[in-house]
Amino acid sequence: MSSKNFIRIAQQIAEEILAGSVSPYDGGHRIWKECQLQLKPGDHRLDPFVYWSSEYEDTLDAERRTLCDKAICVSAEASVRTGSALQ
C-alpha cells in the first residue's frame, strides 16, 4: 500500500476524532500504529500523533492527558485539512 493510502486512512481516523466517535487518544494511537509506522522513513506528516499519543501513555496526570487530547485534536484538524498533522 502506498503512503497516500495510509495518509487517507489517517485522515479518516482524524475525522472520527473530530466527530467524537473515537477518543483523541484512541484515534491518535491508531494513526500511530496503523499508519505512521507504514510510511517511508523521513515522512513526518503524522509525527504529532505519535508524540502526543506517547505523551498520553507516559503520564497519569489528568491535566497532561487533557493537553495531549487537545493537541491530538489540533493535529486531526490539520490532517483533515491538509493531509499532514504538521502545522
Side-chain angles (χ1 to χ4, degrees):
M1 197 178 301
S2 74
S3 293
K4 287 181 183 181
N5 290 332
F6 289 110
I7 294 299
R8 275 183 250 172
I9 293 167
Q11 286 176 302
Q12 290 170 351
I13 298 168
E15 288 174 355
E16 293 174 17
I17 293 169
L18 297 175
S21 59
V22 65
S23 74
Y25 166 73
D26 288 336
H29 189 264
R30 281 182 56 207
I31 290 170
W32 172 11
K33 299 298 181 175
E34 295 174 23
C35 302
Q36 192 275 339
L37 292 176
Q38 306 302 320
L39 298 179
K40 294 177 184 175
D43 188 336
H44 300 286
R45 291 178 284 178
L46 303 178
D47 284 2
F49 292 108
V50 176
Y51 178 82
W52 290 111
S53 296
S54 176
E55 284 292 307
Y56 187 100
E57 291 176 354
D58 289 344
T59 189
L60 297 176
D61 180 69
E63 284 185 42
R64 182 72 177 163
R65 284 191 165 182
T66 298
L67 173 69
C68 294
D69 279 342
K70 288 180 181 179
I72 291 169
C73 288
V74 168
S75 298
E77 290 173 7
S79 183
V80 167
R81 191 174 57 253
T82 67
S84 175
L86 300 172
Q87 299 288 319

